[in-house]
Amino acid sequence: MTNMEKVHILDHPLLQHKLSILRDKNTGVKQFREIVSEMAALECYEATRDLTLQTVEIETPIATGTFQTLAGKKLAIVPILRAGLGMVEGILNLIPSAKVGHIGLYRDPETHAPVEYYCKMPQDIAERDVIVLDPMLATGGSASAAITFLKGYGCKHIKLMNILAAPEGIACIRRDHPDVDIYVAAVDEKLNERAYIVPGLGDAGDRIFGTK
Ligand code: PRP
Ligand code: URA
C-alpha cells in the first residue's frame, strides 16, 4: 500500500470534466491540446498554494493601503519532452516570470525504461523551486529520472505535476523521491502489458501533437 502523504489528487469538478474529454478517443488534437493547457493552469493554482507573500504599500485611486504581493520566489517549470510541453503555456499564463527548463526523455518501447536525449536548464536552476510537468505518470520511470537529474543539479524544492497517474507511478515517486509533492487530477486502475494507463487517455504526446 503506497504512502499517499504528499499526493494531491485534485478532484475539482472542472478538472474531472476536462479529464473526461481528454479520455474520449474521439476528442481531436486541437481540443486535446487546449484542455491539457487549461488543466495545467487549474492544477497550478493548487500547486502554488504555498507561495509566500510580502506586504507592500500601494496607492489606489482612492487611498493608500498595505496589500500582499508574491515575495518574488524564484520558480522554474521543467516539462518532460514531448508531452510535458503541452502544459507549459497554461502555467506561464499564470506565472509569466517562471523560467523554463527542458528535459527530453522517451520510454524504450521494449523495456519501458526512460532514455534521456535532451537537457537545457536555466543557469540558476539550483536556486529555484521547480515544478516538473508531464501529463502522464505511468511506471514513474520518466518522472523519477527527471527528478533525480534535477537533484543532481542541486534543486532542493521539487514538485511533480501530472494530469493522470497509475498507482505504479505514484508508488515509484513515493519510493524514489519521498520529498516530492505530486499534483494530479486522477489515479487510474492499473497499467497494461505495454505500460499504458488503463483506462487512461492513450498516448498523450501523440494526442497533443497529432503524430498518430
Ligand atoms: C510518455 C509520457 C511520459 C512517459 C510516462 O512519454 O509523456 O513522459 O511516457 O511513462 P512512464 O511513467 O512509464 O515513464 P513517451 O515516452 O511516450 O514520450 P513522448 O512524450 O515523446 O511521447
Ligand atoms: N505514456 C502515455 O502517453 N500514456 C500512457 O498511458 C502511458 C505512458
Side-chain angles (χ1 to χ4, degrees):
M1 175 74 177
T2 307
N3 172 9
M4 294 298 275
E5 197 195 335
K6 293 173 94 67
V7 181
H8 308 266
I9 300 170
L10 308 174
D11 59 357
H12 192 287
L14 286 174
L15 282 166
Q16 297 310 308
H17 178 79
K18 289 174 191 294
L19 177 56
S20 295
I21 298 172
L22 295 186
R23 290 184 187 280
D24 187 337
K25 69 176 186 181
N26 295 313
T27 298
V29 173
K30 177 174 183 287
Q31 193 182 15
F32 193 94
R33 196 182 292 142
E34 286 168 358
I35 289 180
V36 166
S37 182
E38 288 169 6
M39 288 186 72
L42 291 168
E43 289 192 30
C44 180
Y45 187 77
E46 278 301 323
T48 54
R49 189 172 276 286
D50 59 355
L51 284 179
T52 42
L53 293 167
Q54 63 187 356
T55 303
V56 295
E57 192 173 275
I58 293 177
E59 197 179 337
T60 79
I62 311 296
T64 297
T66 49
F67 305 99
Q68 294 193 310
T69 62
L70 288 174
K73 200 163 201 173
K74 289 178 157 189
L75 272 181
I77 54 175
V78 176
I80 300 179
L81 307 182
R82 292 175 296 168
L85 286 176
M87 300 172 77
V88 169
E89 193 185 334
I91 295 183
L92 288 182
N93 284 341
L94 292 183
I95 316 176
S97 62
K99 294 274 173 68
V100 185
H102 293 86
I103 181 160
L105 297 170
Y106 69 87
R107 299 199 309 176
D108 182 285
E110 300 299 325
T111 65
H112 311 307
V115 181
E116 188 191 318
Y117 63 88
Y118 183 77
C119 179
K120 185 83 180 171
M121 293 295 150
Q123 222 180 356
D124 59 353
I125 189 75
E127 293 152 35
R128 292 181 175 267
D129 285 7
V130 178
I131 306 178
V132 176
L133 308 176
D134 196 325
M136 308 304 276
L137 183 66
T139 66
S142 305
S144 180
I147 293 166
T148 300
F149 181 85
L150 287 163
K151 286 181 175 174
Y153 263 91
C155 299
K156 291 184 184 55
H157 301 111
I158 302 173
K159 293 176 178 175
L160 173 63
M161 188 188 293
N162 307 110
I163 284 176
L164 187 58
E168 294 88 337
I170 298 276
C172 171
I173 301 300
R174 299 303 299 124
R175 184 190 63 234
D176 295 354
H177 302 290
D179 55 309
V180 169
D181 282 90
I182 305 171
Y183 296 83
V184 64
V187 182
D188 272 5
E189 195 188 320
K190 60 179 182 181
L191 295 176
N192 69 13
E193 60 293 344
R194 291 173 53 223
Y196 275 85
I197 298 174
V198 181
L201 52 76
D203 189 304
D206 282 340
R207 295 196 68 190
I208 290 169
F209 295 108
T211 40
K212 221 169 231 173

